[in-house]
Amino acid sequence: MALAVLRLALLLLAVTFAGPLFRRFSKYKTPFCYRYQLPGCPRDFNPVCGTDMITYPNECTLCMKIRESGQNIKILRRGPC
């Protein structure tokens, strides 16, 4: 029983710390959409290029597009496409 609990704890630790590690080595970056609450976005201009090859004024507007369309759009790079 104790061995099973130890295995479960190690698995949870591995999943918790491996997620950011895999994201770091990914070719495209996942936008942090949890930061932005609807119904609007800030008006700051910090363009991002989405994997759909559209330049969005900022990460929040990219997240709004993801929510509206249901597409899995990533950040290709910071700045215009």
Side-chain angles (χ1 to χ4, degrees):
M1 179 71 175
L3 185 60
V5 172
L6 180 62
R7 284 183 183 171
L8 180 61
L10 288 174
L11 178 65
L12 288 173
L13 282 172
V15 168
T16 301
F17 291 109
L21 222 142
F22 288 125
R23 186 179 300 141
R24 189 178 314 155
F25 296 113
S26 176
K27 185 175 181 179
Y28 306 117
K29 295 184 180 175
T30 302
F32 296 110
C33 294
Y34 65 88
R35 292 181 186 171
Y36 309 107
Q37 300 296 322
L38 293 177
C41 287
R43 294 183 183 197
D44 61 335
F45 185 70
N46 191 10
V48 292
C49 180
T51 52
D52 59 352
M53 298 309 296
I54 295 174
T55 300
Y56 295 92
N58 54 38
E59 189 174 328
C60 180
T61 55
L62 170 63
C63 290
M64 284 182 59
K65 175 70 173 188
I66 292 170
R67 286 184 185 127
E68 290 171 359
S69 67
Q71 297 174 354
N72 187 18
I73 305 169
K74 305 286 184 189
I75 297 173
L76 185 62
R77 66 173 172 261
R78 300 280 174 189
C81 293

